[in-house]
Amino acid sequence: MPELVEPRDIELMRRLSSGDEGAFLEFYRRYQGGVYRYAVHMTGRPEAAADVVQETFLTLIRQAGKFDEEKGAPGAFLYGIARNHIRKLQEKESRYVALGEETDDVYVGNGTGRNYNGNGHFPAMPGNSETALEGLERSEAIQMLRDAVLTLPEHYREPITMCDLEGKSYEEASALMACPVGTVRSRLNRARSILLEKLRPSHVTAKPLGSRWGGRE
């Protein structure tokens, strides 16, 4: 079993399997935000992410008894369910929806000049240290990066989402993706190279982007 298994998660899954509603609510509170952000980055659309979260936890209720603590962590089990729902959604739609076409009011802002941070809330307005023009340029750079991430194949998009967008360590991403740390590292490096190449013609240079990336050791 991976070393990053939370004992509390194991306990909750055992109780959840026996129909303990309180265990489900606690497990939901522990993971809902992370699953939502993961789904947002993987689909590019908050409304789709919300559907994924709902379907994921409904499936968890039905399939909690299938969890085998000898094979992996509860978090990996949950993210595996979310991953399957995302794939089903993408198969139905047969194409990715560009963020800029349908979700400008969410990612770029809704007239307030604030950027969406992926968990249902907006961060505080920037202080005087950032001018309006700098804020706009930063928003455009973030938008371009998100658009580029959505063009990656799933096996590259997932480690970028986990490590670079969610800030998880290689070990944490490995546990949630149910794959070796070495695989996470190699896919992440390849994904970064692809993104830098995609963004090279833009105003977003490789140097500042690269300085912000890097899963924690």
XYZ file of all heavy atoms in Angstrom, residues 21-86:
528
model
N -23.521 7.273 7.209
C -23.724 8.546 6.524
C -22.739 9.601 7.000
O -22.242 10.420 6.217
C -25.154 9.047 6.752
C -25.465 10.353 6.021
C -26.906 10.790 6.211
O -27.722 9.957 6.654
O -27.211 11.959 5.920
N -22.427 9.594 8.303
C -21.476 10.557 8.840
C -20.104 10.402 8.224
O -19.406 11.386 7.971
N -19.697 9.151 7.966
C -18.397 8.888 7.349
C -18.365 9.439 5.928
O -17.354 10.003 5.488
C -18.114 7.386 7.341
N -19.489 9.289 5.228
C -19.551 9.822 3.868
C -19.407 11.338 3.869
O -18.664 11.900 3.059
C -20.867 9.436 3.187
C -21.068 10.124 1.867
C -20.412 9.695 0.726
C -21.897 11.238 1.773
C -20.572 10.352 -0.492
C -22.065 11.900 0.561
C -21.402 11.454 -0.566
N -20.124 12.005 4.769
C -20.070 13.459 4.812
C -18.658 13.959 5.126
O -18.190 14.934 4.535
C -21.059 13.982 5.861
C -22.546 13.778 5.534
C -23.411 14.258 6.694
C -22.927 14.509 4.257
N -17.971 13.283 6.046
C -16.607 13.700 6.369
C -15.668 13.445 5.198
O -14.810 14.282 4.878
C -16.101 12.958 7.602
C -14.703 13.407 8.009
C -14.200 12.769 9.287
O -15.023 12.214 10.048
O -12.973 12.817 9.525
N -15.822 12.295 4.546
C -14.975 11.980 3.401
C -15.227 12.979 2.274
O -14.297 13.428 1.597
C -15.259 10.556 2.915
C -14.206 10.002 2.002
C -13.020 9.488 2.512
C -14.397 9.963 0.620
C -12.036 8.977 1.671
C -13.425 9.449 -0.219
C -12.250 8.958 0.305
N -16.494 13.345 2.095
C -16.859 14.338 1.079
C -16.178 15.669 1.377
O -15.612 16.295 0.474
C -18.375 14.510 1.050
C -18.862 15.556 0.069
C -19.069 15.244 -1.273
C -19.117 16.865 0.490
C -19.512 16.201 -2.176
C -19.554 17.826 -0.400
C -19.751 17.493 -1.729
O -20.181 18.448 -2.616
N -16.220 16.114 2.620
C -15.603 17.390 2.978
C -14.089 17.350 2.758
O -13.491 18.355 2.357
C -15.907 17.739 4.437
C -17.337 18.197 4.689
C -17.461 18.828 6.050
N -17.259 17.858 7.120
C -18.230 17.169 7.687
N -19.483 17.354 7.292
N -17.967 16.313 8.652
N -13.482 16.207 2.979
C -12.029 16.082 2.831
C -11.600 16.144 1.369
O -10.502 16.617 1.056
C -11.547 14.767 3.449
C -11.605 14.734 4.953
C -11.387 13.329 5.498
N -10.014 12.892 5.392
C -9.093 13.056 6.329
N -9.393 13.682 7.458
N -7.865 12.603 6.167
N -12.434 15.651 0.467
C -11.998 15.485 -0.925
C -12.772 16.277 -1.970
O -12.325 16.381 -3.110
C -12.060 14.004 -1.314
C -10.888 13.212 -0.796
C -10.988 12.466 0.383
C -9.665 13.223 -1.461
C -9.896 11.749 0.873
C -8.578 12.506 -0.989
C -8.707 11.770 0.179
O -7.627 11.067 0.656
N -13.920 16.837 -1.611
C -14.741 17.493 -2.624
C -13.993 18.596 -3.359
O -14.024 18.683 -4.588
C -16.005 18.061 -1.959
C -16.962 18.763 -2.926
C -16.668 20.248 -3.058
O -16.043 20.850 -2.166
N -17.102 20.850 -4.161
N -13.303 19.456 -2.615
C -12.603 20.572 -3.242
C -11.518 20.124 -4.205
O -11.396 20.646 -5.316
N -10.743 19.133 -3.793
C -9.663 18.638 -4.647
C -10.183 17.986 -5.917
O -9.632 18.198 -7.004
N -11.255 17.190 -5.774
C -11.834 16.535 -6.950
C -12.417 17.579 -7.904
O -12.289 17.462 -9.125
C -12.921 15.521 -6.532
C -13.669 14.992 -7.753
C -12.289 14.352 -5.772
N -13.040 18.606 -7.339
C -13.607 19.659 -8.183
C -12.517 20.369 -8.978
O -12.647 20.566 -10.192
C -14.383 20.658 -7.322
C -14.928 21.825 -8.116
C -16.082 21.695 -8.877
C -14.255 23.050 -8.133
C -16.573 22.756 -9.624
C -14.733 24.114 -8.877
C -15.893 23.965 -9.621
O -16.366 25.008 -10.381
N -11.445 20.785 -8.301
C -10.368 21.487 -9.007
C -9.737 20.594 -10.069
O -9.414 21.046 -11.168
C -9.321 21.967 -8.003
C -9.815 23.079 -7.082
C -8.672 23.678 -6.269
N -8.048 22.706 -5.396
C -8.463 22.433 -4.159
N -9.519 23.051 -3.666
N -7.813 21.555 -3.415
N -9.553 19.330 -9.722
C -9.005 18.360 -10.677
C -9.902 18.286 -11.914
O -9.416 18.328 -13.063
C -8.903 16.994 -9.997
C -8.651 15.824 -10.905
C -7.379 15.578 -11.427
C -9.672 14.929 -11.216
C -7.136 14.479 -12.245
C -9.436 13.834 -12.031
C -8.175 13.608 -12.540
O -7.948 12.522 -13.350
N -11.201 18.193 -11.698
C -12.144 18.087 -12.816
C -12.184 19.367 -13.640
O -12.323 19.315 -14.866
C -13.536 17.740 -12.286
N -12.058 20.526 -12.980
C -12.029 21.804 -13.712
C -10.840 21.839 -14.662
O -10.960 22.195 -15.838
C -11.961 23.004 -12.742
C -11.590 24.282 -13.498
C -13.298 23.210 -12.044
N -9.668 21.472 -14.142
C -8.463 21.516 -14.966
C -8.498 20.465 -16.083
O -7.954 20.690 -17.168
C -7.226 21.297 -14.103
C -6.945 22.414 -13.151
N -6.920 23.743 -13.536
C -6.677 22.410 -11.812
C -6.652 24.500 -12.483
N -6.501 23.721 -11.433
N -9.133 19.343 -15.826
C -9.164 18.271 -16.819
C -10.217 18.512 -17.905
O -10.041 18.105 -19.054
C -9.425 16.928 -16.142
C -8.296 16.448 -15.234
S -6.756 16.090 -16.106
C -7.184 14.550 -16.939
N -11.325 19.171 -17.548
C -12.392 19.408 -18.523
C -12.383 20.825 -19.068
O -12.868 21.061 -20.176
C -13.774 19.149 -17.899
O -14.017 20.117 -16.856
C -13.855 17.743 -17.303
N -11.884 21.784 -18.272
C -11.881 23.173 -18.703
C -13.170 23.905 -18.430
O -13.296 25.080 -18.766
N -14.150 23.250 -17.772
C -15.444 23.895 -17.558
C -15.972 23.617 -16.156
O -16.180 22.468 -15.780
C -16.457 23.423 -18.596
C -16.122 23.858 -20.018
C -17.181 23.420 -21.000
N -17.233 21.964 -21.081
C -18.346 21.255 -20.988
N -19.498 21.848 -20.774
N -18.311 19.935 -21.091
N -16.218 24.660 -15.364
C -16.733 24.484 -14.002
C -18.040 23.707 -13.938
O -18.258 22.909 -13.030
C -16.917 25.925 -13.516
C -15.910 26.693 -14.290
C -15.907 26.074 -15.663
N -18.939 23.951 -14.906
C -20.219 23.248 -14.858
C -20.038 21.752 -15.076
O -20.715 20.922 -14.463
C -21.215 23.827 -15.874
C -20.856 23.605 -17.351
C -19.932 24.659 -17.902
O -19.307 25.382 -17.121
O -19.849 24.759 -19.143
N -19.091 21.389 -15.941
C -18.794 19.973 -16.160
C -18.131 19.383 -14.920
O -18.408 18.250 -14.527
C -17.877 19.814 -17.373
N -17.259 20.167 -14.290
C -16.577 19.707 -13.085
C -17.580 19.435 -11.965
O -17.448 18.469 -11.214
C -15.549 20.739 -12.640
N -18.582 20.305 -11.845
C -19.597 20.112 -10.813
C -20.352 18.799 -11.045
O -20.653 18.067 -10.099
C -20.569 21.289 -10.812
N -20.651 18.501 -12.305
C -21.323 17.235 -12.629
C -20.428 16.049 -12.287
O -20.905 15.023 -11.789
C -21.684 17.193 -14.113
C -22.808 18.147 -14.470
O -23.545 18.561 -13.551
O -22.944 18.485 -15.662
N -19.142 16.179 -12.576
C -18.197 15.101 -12.279
C -18.143 14.838 -10.777
O -18.150 13.680 -10.334
C -16.787 15.437 -12.815
C -15.755 14.456 -12.260
C -16.771 15.398 -14.341
N -18.096 15.900 -9.989
C -18.063 15.737 -8.536
C -19.306 15.006 -8.049
O -19.224 14.063 -7.253
C -17.958 17.111 -7.834
C -18.166 16.969 -6.330
C -16.597 17.734 -8.096
N -20.456 15.421 -8.540
C -21.705 14.790 -8.116
C -21.725 13.310 -8.479
O -22.043 12.456 -7.634
C -22.891 15.503 -8.772
C -24.239 14.866 -8.443
C -25.397 15.650 -9.036
O -25.510 16.842 -8.812
N -26.255 14.982 -9.782
N -21.385 13.010 -9.720
C -21.402 11.616 -10.165
C -20.347 10.784 -9.444
O -20.563 9.604 -9.135
C -21.179 11.549 -11.678
C -22.310 12.105 -12.506
C -23.629 11.390 -12.257
O -23.603 10.152 -12.065
O -24.667 12.064 -12.211
N -19.209 11.397 -9.158
C -18.134 10.680 -8.477
C -18.552 10.236 -7.086
O -18.351 9.075 -6.702
C -16.877 11.571 -8.372
O -16.375 11.823 -9.683
C -15.790 10.892 -7.549
N -19.162 11.124 -6.334
C -19.533 10.766 -4.963
C -20.776 9.879 -4.916
O -20.918 9.068 -3.991
C -19.706 12.024 -4.121
C -18.387 12.608 -3.682
C -17.784 13.630 -4.403
C -17.720 12.104 -2.576
C -16.554 14.145 -4.023
C -16.487 12.610 -2.186
C -15.899 13.629 -2.906
N -21.652 10.012 -5.898
C -22.778 9.068 -5.978
C -22.263 7.663 -6.266
O -22.738 6.669 -5.693
C -23.758 9.516 -7.071
C -24.626 10.728 -6.748
C -25.464 11.118 -7.975
C -25.544 10.426 -5.562
N -21.280 7.584 -7.158
C -20.675 6.289 -7.469
C -19.946 5.739 -6.248
O -19.978 4.526 -5.983
C -19.687 6.414 -8.641
O -20.382 6.907 -9.790
C -19.050 5.071 -8.977
N -19.281 6.611 -5.504
C -18.579 6.173 -4.304
C -19.535 5.513 -3.321
O -19.201 4.483 -2.717
C -17.891 7.371 -3.640
C -17.152 7.061 -2.334
C -15.962 6.148 -2.596
C -16.704 8.347 -1.654
N -20.712 6.089 -3.155
C -21.700 5.503 -2.245
C -22.046 4.089 -2.681
O -22.130 3.157 -1.863
C -22.977 6.375 -2.204
C -22.668 7.734 -1.565
C -24.084 5.668 -1.436
C -23.828 8.698 -1.584
N -22.220 3.907 -3.988
C -22.617 2.591 -4.511
C -21.471 1.585 -4.500
O -21.698 0.379 -4.356
C -23.157 2.737 -5.943
C -24.423 3.586 -6.041
C -25.040 3.448 -7.421
N -24.149 3.908 -8.481
C -24.155 5.129 -8.971
N -25.000 6.037 -8.493
N -23.322 5.480 -9.940
N -20.237 2.082 -4.687
C -19.118 1.169 -4.884
C -18.103 1.165 -3.742
O -17.017 0.600 -3.881
C -18.397 1.516 -6.187
C -19.272 1.370 -7.418
C -18.512 1.610 -8.717
O -17.302 1.863 -8.717
N -19.218 1.546 -9.828
N -18.439 1.771 -2.613
C -17.495 1.828 -1.496
C -17.038 0.442 -1.072
O -15.887 0.243 -0.669
C -18.133 2.554 -0.308
N -17.926 -0.531 -1.189
C -17.588 -1.897 -0.797
C -16.540 -2.540 -1.675
O -15.932 -3.552 -1.289
N -16.287 -1.961 -2.851
C -15.289 -2.513 -3.766
C -13.874 -2.036 -3.447
O -12.911 -2.552 -4.015
C -15.630 -2.123 -5.212
C -16.935 -2.722 -5.717
C -17.170 -2.339 -7.167
C -18.475 -2.942 -7.688
N -18.713 -2.579 -9.115
N -13.761 -1.081 -2.541
C -12.434 -0.570 -2.205
C -11.619 -1.633 -1.480
O -12.084 -2.258 -0.525
C -12.550 0.672 -1.329
C -11.236 1.123 -0.748
C -10.246 1.643 -1.568
C -10.975 0.992 0.614
C -9.029 2.047 -1.045
C -9.759 1.386 1.145
C -8.782 1.915 0.315
N -10.392 -1.843 -1.945
C -9.471 -2.803 -1.343
C -8.275 -2.033 -0.807
O -7.451 -1.541 -1.572
C -9.016 -3.831 -2.384
C -8.146 -4.927 -1.787
O -7.700 -4.772 -0.633
O -7.901 -5.933 -2.476
N -8.171 -1.903 0.506
C -7.099 -1.108 1.100
C -5.715 -1.703 0.889
O -4.705 -1.032 1.132
C -7.346 -0.906 2.595
C -7.440 -2.172 3.405
C -7.884 -1.878 4.825
O -9.092 -1.651 5.034
O -7.006 -1.863 5.715
N -5.650 -2.946 0.431
C -4.355 -3.559 0.133
C -3.831 -3.150 -1.238
O -2.663 -3.352 -1.553
C -4.457 -5.089 0.198
C -4.792 -5.636 1.574
C -3.747 -5.259 2.611
O -2.544 -5.256 2.256
O -4.113 -4.949 3.748
N -4.704 -2.568 -2.051
C -4.315 -2.229 -3.417
C -4.038 -0.746 -3.633
O -3.437 -0.372 -4.641
C -5.400 -2.690 -4.401
C -5.543 -4.208 -4.477
C -6.578 -4.597 -5.514
C -6.694 -6.111 -5.647
N -7.709 -6.507 -6.657
N -4.465 0.089 -2.733
C -4.232 1.515 -2.931
C -4.922 2.359 -1.882
O -5.635 1.851 -1.017
N -4.724 3.660 -1.993
C -5.282 4.610 -1.032
C -6.726 4.960 -1.387
O -7.122 4.901 -2.550
C -4.431 5.875 -1.018
N -7.524 5.341 -0.380
C -8.899 5.783 -0.658
C -8.941 6.946 -1.646
O -9.828 7.014 -2.496
C -9.412 6.196 0.731
C -8.642 5.342 1.674
C -7.270 5.271 1.073
N -7.965 7.858 -1.522
C -7.933 8.989 -2.454
C -7.745 8.541 -3.884
O -8.370 9.061 -4.804
N -6.878 7.555 -4.100
C -6.649 7.030 -5.442
C -7.911 6.354 -5.973
O -8.244 6.470 -7.158
C -5.494 6.037 -5.432
N -8.626 5.649 -5.099
C -9.885 5.002 -5.473
C -10.890 6.058 -5.932
O -11.543 5.912 -6.976
C -10.427 4.227 -4.273
C -11.694 3.461 -4.542
C -11.681 2.293 -5.292
C -12.904 3.907 -4.021
C -12.856 1.586 -5.533
C -14.076 3.203 -4.251
C -14.059 2.040 -5.009
N -10.984 7.148 -5.166
C -11.925 8.214 -5.489
C -11.543 8.913 -6.792
O -12.400 9.148 -7.656
C -11.967 9.231 -4.354
C -12.964 10.381 -4.527
C -14.388 9.857 -4.438
C -12.731 11.449 -3.460
N -10.262 9.246 -6.948
C -9.820 9.920 -8.172
C -9.966 8.999 -9.386
O -10.170 9.473 -10.506
C -8.381 10.401 -8.035
C -8.274 11.775 -7.407
C -8.422 11.944 -6.039
C -8.036 12.907 -8.185
C -8.335 13.205 -5.450
C -7.945 14.174 -7.607
C -8.110 14.311 -6.235
O -8.026 15.562 -5.666
N -9.854 7.710 -9.175
C -10.077 6.769 -10.271
C -11.512 6.830 -10.761
O -11.783 6.784 -11.968
N -12.450 6.954 -9.821
C -13.859 7.097 -10.184
C -14.069 8.401 -10.948
O -14.749 8.434 -11.987
C -14.745 7.078 -8.921
C -14.681 5.710 -8.241
C -16.195 7.423 -9.278
C -15.410 5.659 -6.900
N -13.463 9.494 -10.437
C -13.595 10.789 -11.108
C -13.016 10.724 -12.513
O -13.590 11.266 -13.465
C -12.885 11.872 -10.286
N -11.866 10.075 -12.646
C -11.209 9.952 -13.952
C -12.129 9.239 -14.952
O -12.236 9.655 -16.117
C -9.907 9.180 -13.781
C -9.007 9.162 -15.009
C -7.723 8.410 -14.698
N -6.969 9.032 -13.620
C -6.748 8.456 -12.431
N -7.214 7.250 -12.171
N -6.053 9.092 -11.509
N -12.796 8.205 -14.508
C -13.709 7.460 -15.391
C -14.885 8.334 -15.832
O -15.308 8.279 -16.993
C -14.222 6.208 -14.690
C -13.163 5.131 -14.573
O -12.214 5.092 -15.352
N -13.298 4.252 -13.588
N -15.409 9.126 -14.916
C -16.537 9.997 -15.280
C -16.097 11.093 -16.244
O -16.863 11.472 -17.144
C -17.163 10.600 -14.024
C -18.057 9.657 -13.275
N -19.209 9.131 -13.830
C -17.956 9.117 -12.031
C -19.792 8.327 -12.953
N -19.050 8.297 -11.857
N -14.897 11.593 -16.075
C -14.374 12.607 -16.996
C -14.229 12.015 -18.395
O -14.579 12.652 -19.397
C -13.022 13.149 -16.486
C -13.236 14.018 -15.249
C -12.312 13.960 -17.576
C -11.957 14.425 -14.546
